[in-house]
Amino acid sequence: MNTHRCRQFRPFAALVSLCATGLAVPAAQADTILVDAAQASGLPFQDGTTWDKSFKSLQSALAVAVAGDDIWLAAGTYKPTTFTDRNLSFELKAGVRILGGFAVGDVILEQRDPLNNVTILSGDIGALNNPSDNSFHVLHSSNSVGANAVLSGVVVTAGK
């Protein structure tokens, strides 16, 4: 019985799925998942593997991220929901690094510049600049996340 988890490598250039070949996929292989708030919605093949195929929302990237993955956020503002459910927030995941401060097109970590590529996690989900309808919590972390989850290069604002 093969108990290895099927995983796709995302090395920017191409997707390589080892599951189809029956090869075991090393658990240490990390993915880089790209997110750009300015990305058009509903494009086909938005899988976070390239900037052209980046996710538009951080929530979409968090949904597919597993321990060892990096989520790179392009400059922009990210909200926990496009609706008005004030109970929704971004949930940190064990072993996942969320890194803000990228420009669309960056391909190496050293290109990250949070001072010039400002990345904001905002709870301002209702009427703009009206704090009475903002998310109760912009960001949430449970005890099970542990010390290996990272949030860096972002500004967290507008929680209620």
Side-chain angles (χ1 to χ4, degrees):
M1 174 180 204
N2 185 354
T3 60
H4 296 285
R5 175 179 62 173
C6 288
R7 202 57 216 265
Q8 289 182 327
F9 292 100
R10 295 186 209 161
F12 286 96
L15 287 174
V16 179
S17 177
L18 295 181
C19 295
T21 64
L23 297 175
V25 179
Q29 176 63 40
D31 286 345
T32 299
I33 303 167
L34 305 175
V35 185
D36 176 12
Q39 178 69 277
S41 295
L43 294 176
F45 309 113
Q46 284 181 294
D47 58 10
T49 58
T50 66
W51 287 112
D52 288 341
K53 296 179 181 181
S54 64
F55 287 115
K56 182 175 179 62
S57 76
L58 174 54
Q59 293 292 34
S60 296
L62 285 166
V64 299
V66 297
D69 288 348
D70 282 352
I71 297 174
W72 289 12
L73 299 174
T77 300
Y78 300 87
K79 297 180 181 185
T81 182
T82 56
F83 300 105
T84 56
D85 185 345
R86 300 177 70 199
N87 294 303
L88 295 177
S89 61
F90 296 112
E91 182 80 26
L92 293 180
K93 291 179 90 170
V96 174
R97 297 189 323 166
I98 302 170
L99 307 172
F102 289 94
V104 171
D106 286 351
V107 294
I108 59 172
L109 186 59
E110 290 75 19
Q111 291 175 297
R112 184 171 84 120
D113 184 358
L115 295 177
N116 289 309
N117 299 314
V118 178
T119 306
I120 299 168
L121 304 184
S122 173
D124 195 359
I125 60 169
L128 288 179
N129 302 314
N130 179 355
S132 69
D133 62 359
N134 289 5
S135 295
F136 292 120
H137 302 282
V138 177
L139 188 67
H140 182 262
S141 175
S142 66
N143 290 338
S144 64
V145 169
N148 57 357
V150 173
L151 178 68
S152 175
V154 302
V155 175
V156 180
T157 187
K160 174 91 172 139

